[in-house]
Amino acid sequence: MKMRPAKSVIGILGGARDFHAVDWFNAVRRDPQKDYIFITDLLESEGFSNLLVGEQNLVRLLIIDRLLFAKQSNLGHAWRNLIKLVAAPFQALLLRRLFKRHGLTIIHAHPMYYMMLCWMACLPFLGTPQGAELLSRPNKSSMYRFFARRILRAAKYIVVDSRQMSDAAFEISGVHAKVIQNGINVDLINSFKDFASGSKRGALSLRGMESLYRIDEIIASADAGALERIPLTFIYPFFDEKYLAYIEKLAHPEDRFLGRLEKTDLYKLLRDTTLVISIPINDSSPRSVYEAIFSGCCVAVTFNSWIELLPKCMRSRLIVVDLQNKNWLSDAHAQAVEIVKTPFTPSDDALDLFDENRSLLGVIESCY
């Protein structure tokens, strides 16, 4: 009788409160040919919820939640980075033990800090850095650039979500990164699209509540609108406490601040939204924008190189705005009202690139 070969075991390493890492875990674990565990040092802290409550395949490093601040702030962010840096040698040692104990084949680390742990532990890993970790931080700190180069070179594979990030990875380290678009849960989005209320409300900002995302300029354009002021809704997966307080003072009484939403609540909100706004100072490949498009919204954006790489059906839902025009928001909203009268129908190219059931196959087959 032939023995079945043992399944390879993949470790996803990241924060259990990180949507990107958890979404990747939930997507790739559908592969029946492999087993997956999620390894973390962060569960629930600083106002973030544990996204893997009750998950049996959750494996813990040293959990640092109790050492962190109760809420997000610049000081809290700096303190968390210090704690993680001090804990890194101990976490790397524990990670190496967990790798052997669970018979792992490779670790997929999100983002750079967890890639560093794998590098310190001398373990085989696939890394997914975040945009700023390649696009801005290496240009601000020579020490960061020094370690980023070595971490990138140590990885078996680097996966990024845009050509811009791939070029930055090569410039820093000489490593050719694989470009895999951020996949989205198209099936879940479609399950809500047919239940729209029929009434659309104003405009929605869904990026972080930080100065990078120019929330103050959104409010300024709403206030400058020549017609009736467009009510704004703000959701944000993370925030800077001082910037949030500043924005709340600028906002109109009709504006809503909803904070961080679960995916199901986000998709319900998007189904009743005409215009989404995403105008950060710099950007890579914004998954939240793609979720908005597949939900049927239009998205107001400033020009970025990733726009040119989108399939035509998705580009048609983008409205590139000029922030020098003080009425850019009302102008974009008027365009969006007309555009959304036609339902969004994704092309095969769009589904191949962005449906996570399809887009992750390349990573699973070639990297895992």
Side-chain angles (χ1 to χ4, degrees):
M1 180 178 178
K2 290 185 177 181
M3 298 290 291
R4 288 186 179 180
K7 288 184 179 180
S8 58
V9 183
I10 313 300
I12 307 298
L13 176 62
R17 61 187 209 179
D18 180 350
F19 272 121
H20 289 289
V22 172
D23 283 352
W24 193 284
F25 175 62
N26 288 331
V28 299
R29 69 192 304 189
R30 299 170 193 168
D31 176 15
Q33 304 302 317
K34 299 176 179 66
D35 288 329
Y36 295 87
I37 62 172
F38 193 98
I39 308 169
T40 190
D41 62 340
L42 286 169
L43 293 173
E44 191 171 30
S45 53
E46 299 177 298
F48 292 108
S49 301
N50 180 0
L51 301 176
L52 290 172
V53 174
E55 172 56 54
Q56 294 182 347
N57 293 322
L58 182 65
V59 177
R60 303 183 182 199
L61 295 171
L62 298 174
I63 302 300
I64 63 172
D65 290 342
R66 287 182 292 179
L67 302 176
L68 305 181
F69 288 15
K71 296 181 179 179
Q72 298 175 65
S73 65
N74 286 337
L75 179 60
H77 179 69
W79 175 251
R80 181 180 66 253
N81 287 343
L82 177 61
I83 292 296
K84 295 181 80 168
L85 186 62
V86 171
F90 305 99
Q91 302 285 32
L93 179 61
L94 181 54
L95 181 62
R96 188 171 180 83
R97 292 176 180 174
L98 291 173
F99 190 93
K100 294 180 179 179
R101 182 184 305 166
H102 292 274
L104 298 182
T105 305
I106 194 170
I107 292 175
H108 189 165
H110 304 246
M112 188 69 81
Y113 171 75
Y114 297 102
M115 294 166 60
M116 182 186 74
L117 293 186
C118 294
W119 170 63
M120 294 174 65
C122 299
L123 296 173
F125 71 97
L126 160 67
T128 301
Q130 291 179 337
E133 294 173 336
L134 296 182
L135 299 177
S136 61
R137 292 179 195 172
N139 300 322
K140 296 178 180 178
S141 169
S142 58
M143 181 174 293
Y144 183 94
R145 188 181 187 88
F146 174 85
F147 283 104
R149 179 184 300 116
R150 278 148 182 79
I151 293 169
L152 292 170
R153 288 177 177 175
K156 289 190 67 175
Y157 304 99
I158 297 296
V159 173
V160 294
D161 57 19
S162 70
R163 179 57 57 187
Q164 183 183 15
M165 287 188 66
S166 178
D167 292 343
F170 184 79
E171 191 274 328
I172 293 167
S173 65
V175 171
H176 291 280
K178 293 178 178 288
V179 178
I180 304 292
Q181 289 289 349
N182 282 318
I184 60 177
N185 193 332
V186 174
D187 291 339
L188 183 59
I189 290 174
N190 288 340
S191 70
F192 291 103
K193 285 174 65 176
D194 293 336
F195 297 96
S197 67
S199 60
K200 303 284 190 178
R201 185 188 191 277
L204 168 68
S205 170
L206 44 55
R207 306 299 296 273
M209 185 60 71
E210 294 182 343
S211 58
L212 169 67
Y213 299 100
R214 298 195 277 211
I215 309 300
D216 53 335
E217 296 195 39
I218 296 174
I219 293 177
S221 187
D223 291 343
L227 303 175
E228 183 179 353
R229 187 186 187 277
I230 298 169
L232 302 173
T233 298
F234 300 100
I235 61 174
Y236 34 94
F238 51 88
F239 63 92
D240 173 79
E241 194 171 22
K242 289 184 179 180
Y243 189 72
L244 175 58
Y246 165 64
I247 292 300
E248 287 176 333
K249 291 179 180 179
L250 295 179
H252 190 272
E254 290 186 5
D255 295 339
R256 298 187 298 173
F257 292 81
L258 303 183
R260 187 176 190 176
L261 298 183
E262 299 294 334
K263 285 294 183 183
T264 52
D265 294 325
L266 169 63
Y267 297 154
K268 289 176 184 177
L269 182 61
L270 288 174
R271 75 185 180 188
D272 293 324
T273 297
T274 298
L275 181 67
V276 166
I277 308 164
S278 177
I279 56 167
I281 295 172
N282 58 65
D283 214 356
S284 173
S285 183
R287 182 172 58 170
S288 57
V289 168
Y290 308 145
E291 290 175 317
I293 292 172
F294 273 79
S295 296
C297 308
C298 282
V299 186
V301 296
T302 48
F303 179 77
N304 278 283
S305 58
W306 55 264
I307 295 174
E308 299 177 328
L309 302 177
L310 295 181
K312 183 178 179 180
C313 67
M314 297 180 68
R315 291 200 308 271
S316 69
R317 311 297 280 205
L318 296 179
I319 301 170
V320 179
V321 299
D322 178 6
L323 300 186
Q324 298 302 312
N325 169 20
K326 66 178 183 179
N327 293 320
W328 64 262
L329 178 55
S330 58
D331 291 347
H333 188 266
Q335 292 181 57
V337 168
E338 296 303 315
I339 293 172
V340 299
K341 290 178 181 178
T342 302
F344 174 71
T345 303
S347 64
D348 286 339
D349 286 344
L351 291 171
D352 286 340
L353 284 171
F354 295 99
D355 184 346
E356 64 185 17
N357 291 324
R358 303 189 191 188
S359 64
L360 294 182
L361 287 178
V363 177
I364 293 172
E365 293 173 356
S366 62
C367 301
Y368 289 175

